[in-house]
Amino acid sequence: GAVRVAVRTLCLAALLVALGAGGTELTLELPDSAQRCFHQELESGIKFTLDYQVVISGGHYDVDCYVEDPNGKTIYQETKKQYDSFSHHTEVKGVYTFCFSNEFSTFSHKIVYFDFQVGDEPPILPDMNNRVTALTQMESACVTIHEMLNAVIDSQTHYRLREAQDRSRAEELNGRVSYWSVGETLILFVVSIGQVMLLKSFFTEKRPSSGGAGT
């Protein structure tokens, strides 16, 4: 009936908000001894959140990260972090810069995932923040579904990154095992040839040298 249609409409709205929340997600390759910076113009009094993680390759899976405000002031700085999260309310209007650095590494590149969210998530129901009455059971159910969907999205992102990291480690281990197997095969081949030649030398008949004293 009409109630079921309304429930489906509100739940669909919750799903669309959960899947379409504002922000930027990006995976980038960071070569050794390199740095990558991103710039975002923000108004004052705006909240932004930066989540990042080194997901594939990269030695100890660590990276340097720092954030600067429009005046060049460093508001966040961490060195050799595998993952971290940073939230900040802007105090001045302008271009904010956040950078990832791999300059301390001279031979290993990194794959870095980051999620940059700007502003607070809008309410899924009209005037939800200004209501003086309690939410109805249907509205509460939709809010709960919305929160669960957000948790599912975060969990899927986390497990996707972990799966990529574990796959990279498995491929690296498989490569090492393959090289080690090839090396063992070559060593066994050389040892086998040496043993055959050594045994052959034991059974080789040595003829006495011919010659006699002249009379």
Side-chain angles (χ1 to χ4, degrees):
V3 176
R4 291 184 179 179
V5 174
V7 171
R8 290 179 181 177
T9 303
L10 288 175
C11 292
L12 179 60
L15 175 61
L16 294 176
V17 171
L19 297 179
T24 300
E25 294 184 63
L26 184 64
T27 301
L28 63 102
E29 183 172 358
L30 194 60
D32 53 279
S33 303
Q35 177 175 285
R36 295 286 185 270
C37 292
F38 300 86
H39 311 276
Q40 178 67 45
E41 184 173 1
L42 300 173
E43 299 289 335
S44 60
I46 298 296
K47 176 186 177 182
F48 70 85
T49 302
L50 174 64
D51 298 315
Y52 65 91
Q53 179 177 347
V54 181
V55 292
I56 306 176
S57 302
H60 297 290
Y61 297 87
D62 52 2
V63 70
D64 295 345
C65 179
Y66 67 89
V67 180
E68 292 183 348
D69 66 7
N71 298 325
K73 177 183 176 182
T74 301
I75 57 179
Y76 170 83
Q77 184 173 11
E78 290 290 345
T79 59
K80 296 184 178 181
K81 297 282 289 188
Q82 294 183 351
Y83 57 89
D84 201 7
S85 178
F86 171 68
S87 297
H88 180 73
H89 283 83
T90 60
E91 298 178 355
V92 294
K93 177 183 177 181
V95 177
Y96 286 76
T97 303
F98 58 98
C99 300
F100 301 99
S101 175
N102 193 30
E103 294 176 327
F104 60 87
S105 178
T106 57
F107 60 88
S108 61
H109 73 283
K110 311 290 174 64
I111 304 295
V112 181
Y113 162 85
F114 73 87
D115 181 10
F116 186 75
Q117 298 288 336
V118 178
D120 295 322
E121 185 178 353
I124 64 173
L125 300 176
D127 299 328
M128 193 175 90
N129 294 334
N130 300 324
R131 295 186 59 154
V132 295
T133 60
L135 297 177
T136 65
Q137 185 176 1
M138 183 174 60
E139 292 172 337
S140 299
C142 290
V143 171
T144 301
I145 292 174
H146 173 69
E147 294 174 350
M148 293 177 64
L149 286 172
N150 283 334
V152 168
I153 293 174
D154 293 339
S155 298
Q156 286 180 337
T157 301
H158 173 73
Y159 287 120
R160 186 171 65 248
L161 296 177
R162 290 295 301 271
E163 187 273 336
Q165 190 178 84
D166 293 341
R167 183 176 65 251
S168 175
R169 291 178 176 176
E171 291 176 353
E172 182 181 359
L173 181 60
N174 179 68
R176 292 183 179 182
V177 171
S178 299
Y179 288 132
W180 179 256
S181 300
V182 172
E184 284 187 330
T185 302
L186 293 176
I187 293 174
L188 289 174
F189 184 72
V190 172
V191 171
S192 299
I193 293 178
Q195 289 178 343
V196 170
M197 294 181 65
L198 182 62
L199 290 174
K200 184 178 180 181
S201 66
F202 289 159
F203 294 97
T204 300
E205 181 181 0
K206 295 182 179 180
R207 297 181 180 179
S209 57
S210 60
T215 56

